[in-house]
Amino acid sequence: MRALVIEDEPAVAGFVGKGLREASFVVELADNGIDGCRLALTNDYDVVVLDLMLPGKDGFKVLHDLRRGEKQTPVICLTARDSVDDRVKGLDLGADDYLAKPFSFAELLARIRALLRRGRAMVGNPIVVSDLTIDILARDVRRGGTRIDLSANEYRLLEYLARNAGCVLSRTMILEHVWDMNQDPMTNVIDVHVNRLRKKIDARFDPPLIHTVRGVGYVLRSAES
Ligand code: CA
């Protein structure tokens, strides 16, 4: 699942991002309203966590622009100001839920899961590539009907590859989306995880779905595409 966190306080952004990654989300962060709004309008996220007090463009304006742009992505607003007025204004503008700071990550995650269950987000679920099926809400991966257990990192990597099936993903893109690193750490972290994923997804099944594109990265595709 893919989440966008628009939050200018590094400590909050860090703790929300880390928690969501541990819960198998692919997370993108924006530290101001302008970048956040642009990302939310261009990409398809399953959920947006939106702080209201933001530099550039405040959360209310981001929400307004998002809904005006016909983006129905579920949005949870975060705010330091737990006033009824803010809450009403946010909900009127199309927020799906509201959380006052300070909050526990467990509560945020529970609310995100409740929103996802309500189903508005579940366009494109499950992801199906050949006989591989990924139910992103249940985090259930099957190939040829056989259930496959994956670690959190393996799962994020597979979901990222599968959402972009047929497109070659560079090592940089994979590091950025799956590990949230902007630089190659000079380790073989990607290769190690791709190999593990291959053992689980491809070794016992035909045809292989994960392909190496030499010098570039990896692509997940079925034989016929
Ligand atoms: Ca803020």
Side-chain angles (χ1 to χ4, degrees), residues 7-9 51 53 101:
E7 165 65 84
D8 60 316
E9 279 172 62
D51 185 34
M53 305 263 277
K101 293 176 185 173

Side-chain angles (χ1 to χ4, degrees), residues 2-221:
R2 206 172 168 199
L4 173 66
V5 179
I6 311 176
E7 165 65 84
D8 60 316
E9 279 172 62
V12 179
F15 123 95
V16 170
K18 179 170 179 285
L20 286 174
R21 281 189 195 98
E22 281 165 7
S24 302
F25 282 78
V26 168
V27 182
E28 276 162 66
L29 300 173
D31 66 1
N32 66 78
I34 295 166
D35 290 346
C37 195
R38 184 178 44 77
L39 285 169
L41 281 168
T42 14
N43 299 322
D44 289 317
Y45 297 99
D46 296 295
V47 67
V48 173
V49 178
L50 174 67
D51 185 34
L52 288 179
M53 305 263 277
L54 289 168
K57 192 187 264 194
D58 75 22
F60 293 121
K61 184 79 172 74
V62 172
L63 200 50
H64 172 264
D65 291 355
L66 202 57
R67 296 309 184 218
R68 199 184 51 187
E70 310 270 290
K71 274 282 183 187
Q72 296 309 319
T73 317
V75 173
I76 296 192
C77 291
L78 301 180
T79 184
R81 308 176 296 182
D82 186 23
S83 82
V84 174
D85 281 355
D86 277 0
R87 201 178 286 242
V88 169
K89 189 175 172 193
L91 294 173
D92 276 350
L93 282 169
D96 297 272
D97 206 348
Y98 210 100
L99 206 52
K101 293 176 185 173
F103 56 88
S104 74
F105 181 75
E107 179 171 13
L108 176 64
L109 187 61
R111 286 178 184 230
I112 288 174
R113 291 206 162 123
L115 271 187
L116 296 176
R117 272 197 302 274
R118 260 187 251 160
R120 207 156 92 176
M122 288 298 109
V123 185
N125 189 44
I127 303 170
V128 179
V129 181
S130 184
D131 61 346
L132 173 74
T133 311
I134 305 170
D135 182 327
I136 58 177
L137 190 52
R139 237 208 73 163
D140 181 72
V141 177
R142 286 168 198 268
R143 179 134 195 219
T146 306
R147 184 152 197 277
I148 295 166
D149 284 318
L150 298 176
S151 72
N153 281 332
E154 290 162 1
Y155 177 83
R156 278 204 307 274
L157 175 61
L158 179 66
E159 192 188 309
Y160 183 53
L161 287 165
R163 273 187 193 275
N164 297 284
C167 304
V168 178
L169 302 176
S170 69
R171 300 171 59 84
T172 311
M173 288 162 80
I174 294 173
L175 278 173
E176 218 175 271
H177 283 84
V178 180
W179 278 274
D180 189 37
M181 290 182 214
N182 294 315
Q183 283 165 357
D184 198 319
M186 300 295 169
T187 68
N188 56 356
V189 60
I190 295 179
D191 310 270
V192 168
H193 281 83
V194 168
N195 283 338
R196 283 192 202 144
L197 207 46
R198 278 185 163 140
K199 279 193 191 122
K200 295 182 178 180
I201 298 293
D202 280 344
R204 291 176 293 136
F205 303 93
D206 250 348
L209 297 177
I210 301 169
H211 304 271
T212 306
V213 180
R214 204 170 290 278
V216 185
Y218 297 96
V219 58
L220 187 136
R221 63 164 178 260

